[in-house]
Coordinates of all heavy atoms in Angstrom, one line a residue:
M215 N 15.5 6.6 1.6 CA 15.6 7.7 0.7 C 14.6 7.5 -0.5 O 13.8 8.4 -0.9 CB 17.0 7.9 0.2 CG 17.2 9.0 -0.9 SD 16.8 10.6 -0.1 CE 17.1 11.6 -1.5
A216 N 14.6 6.3 -1.1 CA 13.7 6.0 -2.2 C 12.3 6.0 -1.7 O 11.4 6.5 -2.5 CB 14.0 4.6 -2.8
A217 N 12.0 5.6 -0.5 CA 10.6 5.6 0.0 C 10.1 7.0 0.1 O 9.0 7.4 -0.2 CB 10.5 4.9 1.3
A218 N 11.0 7.9 0.6 CA 10.7 9.3 0.7 C 10.4 10.0 -0.6 O 9.5 10.8 -0.8 CB 11.8 10.1 1.5
C219 N 11.2 9.6 -1.6 CA 11.0 10.2 -3.0 C 9.6 9.7 -3.5 O 8.9 10.4 -4.1 CB 12.1 9.8 -3.9 SG 13.7 10.6 -3.5
Q220 N 9.3 8.4 -3.2 CA 8.1 7.9 -3.7 C 6.9 8.6 -3.0 O 5.9 8.9 -3.7 CB 8.0 6.3 -3.5 CG 6.7 5.7 -4.0 CD 6.6 5.7 -5.5 OE1 7.6 5.5 -6.2 NE2 5.5 6.1 -6.0
R221 N 7.0 8.8 -1.7 CA 5.9 9.5 -1.0 C 5.7 10.9 -1.6 O 4.6 11.3 -1.8 CB 6.3 9.6 0.5 CG 6.1 8.4 1.2 CD 6.3 8.5 2.7 NE 6.5 7.3 3.3 CZ 7.6 6.9 3.9 NH1 8.6 7.7 4.0 NH2 7.7 5.7 4.4
A222 N 6.8 11.6 -1.9 CA 6.7 12.9 -2.5 C 6.0 12.9 -3.9 O 5.2 13.7 -4.2 CB 8.1 13.6 -2.6
A223 N 6.4 11.9 -4.7 CA 5.8 11.7 -6.0 C 4.3 11.4 -5.9 O 3.5 11.9 -6.6 CB 6.5 10.7 -6.8
D224 N 4.0 10.5 -4.9 CA 2.6 10.1 -4.7 C 1.7 11.3 -4.3 O 0.6 11.5 -4.8 CB 2.4 9.0 -3.7 CG 2.9 7.7 -4.2 OD1 3.2 7.6 -5.4 OD2 3.0 6.7 -3.4
S225 N 2.2 12.1 -3.4 CA 1.4 13.2 -2.9 C 1.3 14.3 -4.0 O 0.3 15.0 -4.1 CB 2.0 13.9 -1.7 OG 3.3 14.4 -1.9
A226 N 2.3 14.5 -4.8 CA 2.3 15.4 -5.9 C 1.3 14.9 -7.0 O 0.7 15.8 -7.7 CB 3.7 15.6 -6.5
A227 N 1.2 13.6 -7.2 CA 0.3 13.1 -8.2 C -1.2 13.0 -7.8 O -2.0 12.6 -8.5 CB 0.8 11.7 -8.6
G228 N -1.4 13.4 -6.5 CA -2.8 13.4 -6.0 C -3.3 12.0 -5.6 O -4.5 11.8 -5.5
M229 N -2.4 11.1 -5.3 CA -2.8 9.8 -4.8 C -2.9 9.8 -3.3 O -2.0 9.4 -2.6 CB -1.7 8.8 -5.2 CG -1.5 8.7 -6.7 SD -0.2 7.5 -7.1 CE -1.2 6.3 -8.0
L230 N -4.0 10.3 -2.8 CA -4.2 10.5 -1.4 C -4.7 9.3 -0.7 O -4.6 9.2 0.5 CB -5.2 11.7 -1.2 CG -4.7 13.0 -1.8 CD1 -5.8 14.1 -1.5 CD2 -3.4 13.4 -1.2
E231 N -5.3 8.3 -1.4 CA -5.9 7.1 -0.8 C -4.9 6.0 -0.8 O -5.3 4.8 -1.1 CB -7.2 6.8 -1.4 CG -8.2 7.9 -1.2 CD -9.6 7.5 -1.7 OE1 -9.7 6.5 -2.4 OE2 -10.5 8.3 -1.5
L232 N -3.7 6.2 -0.6 CA -2.7 5.1 -0.5 C -1.8 5.3 0.7 O -1.6 6.4 1.2 CB -1.7 5.2 -1.7 CG -2.3 5.0 -3.1 CD1 -1.3 5.2 -4.2 CD2 -2.9 3.7 -3.3
I233 N -1.4 4.2 1.3 CA -0.5 4.3 2.4 C 0.9 4.6 1.8 O 1.2 4.4 0.6 CB -0.4 3.0 3.2 CG1 0.1 1.8 2.4 CG2 -1.8 2.7 3.8 CD1 0.5 0.6 3.3
P234 N 1.9 5.0 2.6 CA 3.2 5.3 2.1 C 3.9 3.9 1.7 O 3.5 2.9 2.1 CB 4.0 5.8 3.3 CG 2.9 6.4 4.2 CD 1.7 5.5 4.0
V235 N 4.8 4.1 0.8 CA 5.6 2.9 0.3 C 6.3 2.3 1.5 O 7.0 3.0 2.3 CB 6.6 3.3 -0.8 CG1 7.4 2.1 -1.2 CG2 5.8 3.8 -2.0
T236 N 6.2 1.0 1.7 CA 6.9 0.3 2.8 C 8.2 -0.3 2.3 O 8.4 -0.5 1.1 CB 6.0 -0.9 3.3 OG1 5.7 -1.8 2.3 CG2 4.7 -0.4 3.9
V237 N 9.1 -0.6 3.2 CA 10.4 -1.1 2.9 C 10.2 -2.5 2.1 O 10.8 -2.7 1.1 CB 11.3 -1.2 4.1 CG1 12.6 -2.0 3.8 CG2 11.6 0.1 4.6
P238 N 9.4 -3.4 2.6 CA 9.2 -4.7 1.9 C 8.7 -4.5 0.5 O 9.2 -5.2 -0.4 CB 8.2 -5.5 2.7 CG 8.4 -4.9 4.1 CD 8.7 -3.5 3.9
E239 N 7.8 -3.6 0.3 CA 7.3 -3.3 -1.1 C 8.4 -2.7 -1.9 O 8.5 -3.1 -3.1 CB 6.1 -2.4 -1.0 CG 5.5 -2.1 -2.4 CD 4.4 -1.1 -2.3 OE1 3.8 -0.9 -1.2 OE2 4.0 -0.6 -3.4
L240 N 9.2 -1.8 -1.4 CA 10.3 -1.2 -2.2 C 11.3 -2.3 -2.6 O 11.7 -2.4 -3.7 CB 10.9 -0.1 -1.4 CG 12.1 0.6 -2.1 CD1 11.6 1.3 -3.3 CD2 12.7 1.6 -1.1
L241 N 11.6 -3.2 -1.6 CA 12.5 -4.3 -1.9 C 11.9 -5.2 -3.0 O 12.7 -5.7 -3.9 CB 12.8 -5.1 -0.7 CG 13.7 -4.4 0.4 CD1 13.8 -5.3 1.6 CD2 15.1 -4.1 -0.2
R242 N 10.6 -5.5 -2.9 CA 10.0 -6.3 -3.9 C 10.1 -5.7 -5.3 O 10.4 -6.4 -6.3 CB 8.5 -6.6 -3.6 CG 7.8 -7.4 -4.6 CD 6.3 -7.5 -4.1 NE 5.5 -8.1 -5.2 CZ 5.2 -9.3 -5.2 NH1 5.6 -10.2 -4.3 NH2 4.4 -9.7 -6.2
Q243 N 9.9 -4.4 -5.4 CA 10.0 -3.7 -6.7 C 11.4 -3.7 -7.2 O 11.7 -4.0 -8.4 CB 9.5 -2.2 -6.5 CG 8.1 -2.0 -6.2 CD 7.2 -2.3 -7.4 OE1 7.7 -2.2 -8.6 NE2 6.0 -2.6 -7.2
L244 N 12.4 -3.5 -6.3 CA 13.8 -3.5 -6.7 C 14.2 -4.9 -7.1 O 15.0 -5.0 -8.1 CB 14.7 -2.9 -5.6 CG 14.6 -1.5 -5.3 CD1 15.4 -1.1 -4.1 CD2 14.9 -0.6 -6.5
R245 N 13.8 -5.9 -6.4 CA 14.1 -7.3 -6.7 C 13.6 -7.6 -8.1 O 14.2 -8.4 -8.9 CB 13.6 -8.2 -5.7 CG 14.2 -9.6 -5.7 CD 13.7 -10.4 -4.5 NE 13.7 -9.8 -3.2 CZ 12.6 -9.6 -2.5 NH1 11.4 -10.0 -2.9 NH2 12.7 -9.0 -1.3
G246 N 12.4 -7.1 -8.4 CA 11.8 -7.4 -9.7 C 12.6 -6.8 -10.9 O 12.6 -7.3 -12.0
I247 N 13.3 -5.7 -10.6 CA 14.1 -5.1 -11.6 C 15.4 -5.8 -11.9 O 15.8 -6.1 -13.0 CB 14.4 -3.6 -11.3 CG1 13.1 -2.8 -11.3 CG2 15.4 -3.0 -12.2 CD1 13.3 -1.4 -10.7
V248 N 16.0 -6.3 -10.8 CA 17.3 -7.0 -10.8 C 17.1 -8.4 -11.3 O 17.8 -8.9 -12.1 CB 18.0 -6.9 -9.5 CG1 19.3 -7.7 -9.5 CG2 18.3 -5.4 -9.1
I249 N 16.1 -9.1 -10.7 CA 15.9 -10.5 -11.0 C 14.4 -10.6 -11.5 O 13.5 -11.0 -10.7 CB 16.1 -11.4 -9.8 CG1 17.5 -11.1 -9.2 CG2 15.9 -12.9 -10.1 CD1 17.7 -11.8 -7.8
P250 N 14.2 -10.3 -12.7 CA 12.8 -10.4 -13.2 C 12.2 -11.8 -13.3 O 12.9 -12.7 -13.7 CB 12.9 -9.7 -14.6 CG 14.3 -9.9 -15.0 CD 15.1 -10.0 -13.8
D251 N 11.0 -11.9 -12.8 CA 10.3 -13.2 -12.9 C 9.7 -13.2 -14.2 O 9.1 -12.2 -14.7 CB 9.2 -13.2 -11.8 CG 8.5 -14.5 -11.7 OD1 8.6 -15.3 -12.6 OD2 7.9 -14.7 -10.6
P252 N 9.7 -14.3 -15.0 CA 9.2 -14.3 -16.3 C 7.7 -14.1 -16.4 O 7.2 -13.6 -17.4 CB 9.5 -15.7 -16.9 CG 10.0 -16.5 -15.7 CD 10.4 -15.6 -14.6
R253 N 7.0 -14.4 -15.3 CA 5.5 -14.1 -15.4 C 5.1 -12.8 -14.8 O 3.9 -12.5 -14.7 CB 4.8 -15.2 -14.6 CG 5.0 -16.6 -15.2 CD 4.4 -17.6 -14.3 NE 4.7 -17.4 -12.9 CZ 5.4 -18.2 -12.2 NH1 5.9 -19.3 -12.7 NH2 5.6 -18.0 -10.9
R254 N 6.1 -12.0 -14.3 CA 5.7 -10.8 -13.6 C 6.5 -9.6 -14.3 O 7.6 -9.4 -13.9 CB 6.1 -10.8 -12.1 CG 5.4 -12.0 -11.4 CD 4.0 -11.7 -11.2 NE 3.4 -12.6 -10.2 CZ 2.6 -13.6 -10.5 NH1 2.2 -13.8 -11.8 NH2 2.1 -14.3 -9.6
D255 N 5.9 -8.9 -15.2 CA 6.5 -7.8 -15.8 C 6.3 -6.6 -15.0 O 5.6 -6.5 -14.0 CB 6.0 -7.6 -17.2 CG 4.5 -7.5 -17.3 OD1 3.9 -7.7 -16.3 OD2 4.0 -7.1 -18.4
Q256 N 7.0 -5.5 -15.3 CA 7.0 -4.2 -14.6 C 5.5 -3.7 -14.4 O 5.1 -3.3 -13.3 CB 7.9 -3.2 -15.1 CG 8.0 -1.9 -14.3 CD 8.7 -2.2 -12.9 OE1 9.6 -3.0 -12.8 NE2 8.2 -1.5 -11.9
P257 N 4.7 -3.6 -15.5 CA 3.4 -3.1 -15.3 C 2.6 -3.9 -14.3 O 1.8 -3.4 -13.6 CB 2.8 -3.2 -16.7 CG 3.9 -3.1 -17.6 CD 5.1 -3.8 -16.9
H258 N 2.8 -5.2 -14.3 CA 2.1 -6.1 -13.4 C 2.5 -5.8 -11.9 O 1.6 -5.7 -11.0 CB 2.3 -7.6 -13.7 CG 1.6 -8.5 -12.7 ND1 2.2 -8.9 -11.6 CD2 0.4 -9.0 -12.7 CE1 1.4 -9.7 -10.9 NE2 0.3 -9.8 -11.6
R259 N 3.8 -5.6 -11.7 CA 4.3 -5.3 -10.4 C 3.8 -4.0 -9.9 O 3.4 -3.8 -8.7 CB 5.8 -5.3 -10.3 CG 6.4 -6.7 -10.4 CD 7.9 -6.8 -10.0 NE 8.7 -5.8 -10.8 CZ 9.2 -6.1 -12.0 NH1 9.0 -7.3 -12.5 NH2 9.9 -5.2 -12.6
N260 N 3.7 -3.0 -10.8 CA 3.2 -1.7 -10.4 C 1.7 -1.7 -10.1 O 1.3 -1.1 -9.1 CB 3.5 -0.7 -11.6 CG 4.9 -0.3 -11.7 OD1 5.7 -0.6 -10.8 ND2 5.3 0.2 -12.9
A261 N 1.0 -2.4 -10.9 CA -0.5 -2.6 -10.6 C -0.7 -3.3 -9.3 O -1.6 -2.9 -8.5 CB -1.2 -3.3 -11.8
W262 N 0.1 -4.3 -9.0 CA -0.1 -5.0 -7.8 C 0.2 -4.1 -6.6 O -0.5 -4.2 -5.6 CB 0.8 -6.3 -7.8 CG 0.8 -7.0 -6.5 CD1 -0.1 -8.0 -6.1 CD2 1.6 -6.8 -5.3 NE1 0.1 -8.4 -4.8 CE2 1.2 -7.7 -4.3 CE3 2.7 -6.0 -5.0 CZ2 1.7 -7.7 -3.1 CZ3 3.2 -6.0 -3.8 CH2 2.8 -6.9 -2.8
A263 N 1.3 -3.4 -6.7 CA 1.7 -2.5 -5.6 C 0.6 -1.4 -5.4 O 0.3 -1.1 -4.2 CB 3.0 -1.8 -6.0
L264 N 0.0 -0.9 -6.4 CA -1.1 0.1 -6.2 C -2.3 -0.6 -5.6 O -2.9 0.0 -4.7 CB -1.5 0.8 -7.6 CG -0.5 1.8 -8.1 CD1 -0.9 2.3 -9.5 CD2 -0.4 3.0 -7.1
W265 N -2.6 -1.8 -6.1 CA -3.8 -2.5 -5.5 C -3.5 -2.7 -4.0 O -4.4 -2.5 -3.2 CB -4.0 -3.8 -6.2 CG -5.1 -4.6 -5.5 CD1 -6.4 -4.6 -5.7 CD2 -4.9 -5.6 -4.4 NE1 -7.1 -5.4 -4.9 CE2 -6.2 -6.0 -4.1 CE3 -3.8 -6.0 -3.8 CZ2 -6.3 -7.0 -3.1 CZ3 -4.0 -7.0 -2.7 CH2 -5.2 -7.4 -2.4
R266 N -2.3 -3.2 -3.6 CA -2.0 -3.5 -2.3 C -2.1 -2.3 -1.4 O -2.7 -2.3 -0.3 CB -0.6 -4.1 -2.2 CG -0.1 -4.5 -0.8 CD 1.3 -5.0 -0.9 NE 1.9 -5.1 0.4 CZ 2.5 -4.1 1.0 NH1 2.7 -3.0 0.4 NH2 3.0 -4.3 2.2
R267 N -1.5 -1.2 -1.8 CA -1.5 0.0 -1.0 C -3.0 0.6 -0.9 O -3.3 1.1 0.2 CB -0.6 1.1 -1.6 CG 0.9 0.6 -1.5 CD 1.8 1.5 -2.3 NE 1.8 2.9 -1.8 CZ 2.2 3.9 -2.6 NH1 2.6 3.7 -3.8 NH2 2.1 5.1 -2.2
R268 N -3.8 0.5 -1.9 CA -5.2 0.9 -1.8 C -6.0 0.0 -0.9 O -6.7 0.5 -0.1 CB -5.8 0.9 -3.2 CG -7.1 1.6 -3.3 CD -7.7 1.7 -4.8 NE -6.8 2.5 -5.6 CZ -6.2 2.0 -6.7 NH1 -6.3 0.8 -7.1 NH2 -5.4 2.8 -7.4
H269 N -5.7 -1.3 -1.0 CA -6.4 -2.2 -0.1 C -6.0 -2.0 1.4 O -6.8 -2.0 2.3 CB -6.0 -3.7 -0.4 CG -6.5 -4.7 0.5 ND1 -7.8 -5.1 0.4 CD2 -5.9 -5.4 1.4 CE1 -8.0 -6.0 1.4 NE2 -6.9 -6.2 2.0
Q270 N -4.7 -1.7 1.6 CA -4.2 -1.4 3.0 C -4.8 -0.1 3.5 O -5.1 0.0 4.7 CB -2.7 -1.4 3.1 CG -2.1 -2.8 3.0 CD -0.6 -2.7 3.1 OE1 0.0 -1.7 2.7 NE2 0.0 -3.7 3.7
Y271 N -5.0 0.9 2.6 CA -5.6 2.1 3.0 C -7.0 1.9 3.5 O -7.5 2.3 4.5 CB -5.6 3.1 1.9 CG -6.3 4.4 2.2 CD1 -5.7 5.4 2.9 CD2 -7.7 4.6 1.8 CE1 -6.4 6.6 3.1 CE2 -8.3 5.7 2.1 CZ -7.7 6.7 2.7 OH -8.4 7.9 3.1
G272 N -7.8 1.1 2.7 CA -9.1 0.7 3.1 C -9.2 0.0 4.4 O -10.1 0.2 5.2
A273 N -8.3 -1.0 4.6 CA -8.2 -1.7 5.8 C -7.9 -0.8 7.0 O -8.5 -0.9 8.1 CB -7.2 -2.8 5.7
R274 N -7.0 0.1 6.8 CA -6.7 1.1 7.9 C -7.9 1.9 8.3 O -8.2 2.1 9.4 CB -5.5 2.0 7.5 CG -5.2 3.0 8.6 CD -4.3 4.1 8.1 NE -3.0 3.6 7.8 CZ -2.1 4.4 7.2 NH1 -2.3 5.7 7.0 NH2 -0.9 3.9 6.9
Q275 N -8.6 2.4 7.3 CA -9.8 3.2 7.5 C -10.9 2.3 8.3 O -11.5 2.8 9.2 CB -10.4 3.7 6.2 CG -9.6 4.6 5.4 CD -9.3 5.9 6.2 OE1 -10.1 6.5 6.8 NE2 -8.0 6.3 6.2
A276 N -11.0 1.1 7.9 CA -12.0 0.2 8.6 C -11.6 0.0 10.0 O -12.4 0.0 10.9 CB -12.1 -1.1 7.8
H277 N -10.3 -0.2 10.3 CA -9.8 -0.5 11.6 C -10.0 0.8 12.5 O -10.4 0.7 13.6 CB -8.4 -0.9 11.6 CG -8.2 -2.3 11.2 ND1 -8.4 -3.4 12.1 CD2 -7.8 -2.8 10.0 CE1 -8.1 -4.5 11.4 NE2 -7.8 -4.2 10.2
Q278 N -9.7 2.0 11.9 CA -9.9 3.2 12.6 C -11.4 3.5 13.0 O -11.7 3.9 14.1 CB -9.3 4.4 11.8 CG -7.8 4.4 11.8 CD -7.2 5.4 10.9 OE1 -7.9 6.0 10.1 NE2 -5.9 5.6 11.0
R279 N -12.3 3.2 12.0 CA -13.7 3.3 12.3 C -14.1 2.4 13.4 O -14.9 2.7 14.3 CB -14.5 3.1 11.0 CG -14.5 4.2 10.1 CD -15.6 4.1 9.0 NE -15.4 2.8 8.2 CZ -14.7 2.7 7.1 NH1 -14.1 3.7 6.6 NH2 -14.7 1.5 6.5
W280 N -13.7 1.1 13.3 CA -14.0 0.1 14.4 C -13.5 0.6 15.7 O -14.2 0.5 16.7 CB -13.5 -1.2 14.0 CG -13.7 -2.2 15.2 CD1 -12.7 -2.7 16.0 CD2 -14.9 -2.7 15.6 NE1 -13.3 -3.5 16.9 CE2 -14.7 -3.5 16.8 CE3 -16.3 -2.5 15.3 CZ2 -15.6 -4.2 17.5 CZ3 -17.2 -3.2 16.0 CH2 -16.9 -4.0 17.1
N281 N -12.2 1.0 15.8 CA -11.7 1.4 17.0 C -12.4 2.6 17.6 O -12.6 2.7 18.8 CB -10.2 1.7 16.9 CG -9.4 0.4 16.7 OD1 -9.8 -0.6 17.1 ND2 -8.2 0.5 16.0
A282 N -12.8 3.6 16.8 CA -13.5 4.7 17.2 C -14.9 4.3 17.8 O -15.4 4.7 18.8 CB -13.7 5.7 16.1
Y283 N -15.5 3.3 17.1 CA -16.8 2.8 17.5 C -16.7 2.0 18.9 O -17.4 2.2 19.8 CB -17.4 1.9 16.5 CG -18.6 1.1 16.9 CD1 -19.9 1.7 17.0 CD2 -18.5 -0.2 17.3 CE1 -21.0 1.0 17.5 CE2 -19.6 -0.9 17.7 CZ -20.9 -0.3 17.8 OH -22.0 -1.0 18.2
A284 N -15.6 1.2 19.0 CA -15.4 0.4 20.1 C -15.0 1.2 21.4 O -15.3 0.8 22.5 CB -14.4 -0.7 19.9
D285 N -14.4 2.4 21.1 CA -14.0 3.3 22.2 C -15.1 4.1 22.8 O -15.0 4.7 23.8 CB -12.8 4.1 21.8 CG -11.5 3.4 21.6 OD1 -11.4 2.2 22.1 OD2 -10.6 3.9 20.9
E286 N -16.2 4.2 22.1 CA -17.3 5.0 22.5 C -17.9 4.4 23.8 O -18.1 3.2 23.9 CB -18.4 5.2 21.5 CG -18.0 6.0 20.3 CD -19.1 6.1 19.3 OE1 -20.2 5.7 19.5 OE2 -18.8 6.7 18.2
V287 N -18.3 5.2 24.7 CA -19.0 4.8 25.9 C -20.5 4.6 25.6 O -21.1 5.5 25.1 CB -18.8 5.8 27.1 CG1 -19.5 5.3 28.3 CG2 -17.3 6.0 27.3
P288 N -21.0 3.4 25.9 CA -22.5 3.2 25.7 C -23.3 4.1 26.6 O -22.9 4.4 27.7 CB -22.7 1.8 26.1 CG -21.4 1.2 26.4 CD -20.4 2.2 26.5
R289 N -24.4 4.6 26.1 CA -25.2 5.5 26.9 C -26.5 4.9 27.2 O -27.1 4.1 26.7 CB -25.5 6.8 26.0 CG -24.3 7.6 25.8 CD -24.6 8.7 24.9 NE -23.3 9.3 24.5 CZ -23.1 10.5 24.2 NH1 -24.1 11.4 24.2 NH2 -21.9 11.0 23.8

């Protein structure tokens, strides 16, 4: 449910170049609220989550481009 709400918020905010929130990421965010690590404050966790999702989006695009290239029949 929380992941679905986050996806709706992301799409409404115009964040199109991110993958959907994953369950492990959601658990990490929730764990950080309940058991805060002294070196990891909420802004840091949010920035890390955005970086990770942006990086995974780029990786997905690269894999899709490679698979499309590899699937082409040589002429």
Side-chain angles (χ1 to χ4, degrees):
M215 177 66 179
C219 291
Q220 183 66 41
R221 284 187 198 113
D224 286 351
S225 63
M229 300 178 113
L230 300 177
E231 294 184 354
L232 299 175
I233 67 165
V235 175
T236 60
V237 173
E239 180 180 346
L240 182 61
L241 289 175
R242 179 183 168 96
Q243 292 286 340
L244 291 174
R245 198 176 311 123
I247 293 169
V248 177
I249 307 170
D251 186 344
R253 297 178 312 247
R254 304 287 193 251
D255 56 351
Q256 186 64 39
H258 179 270
R259 285 193 308 274
N260 291 341
W262 178 86
L264 285 175
W265 174 87
R266 178 180 169 273
R267 291 169 61 203
R268 192 173 297 121
H269 177 75
Q270 286 183 328
Y271 175 83
R274 179 193 293 175
Q275 296 298 314
H277 284 281
Q278 289 173 346
R279 282 192 304 269
W280 171 253
N281 289 332
Y283 170 77
D285 289 342
E286 289 181 10
V287 178
R289 295 177 191 208

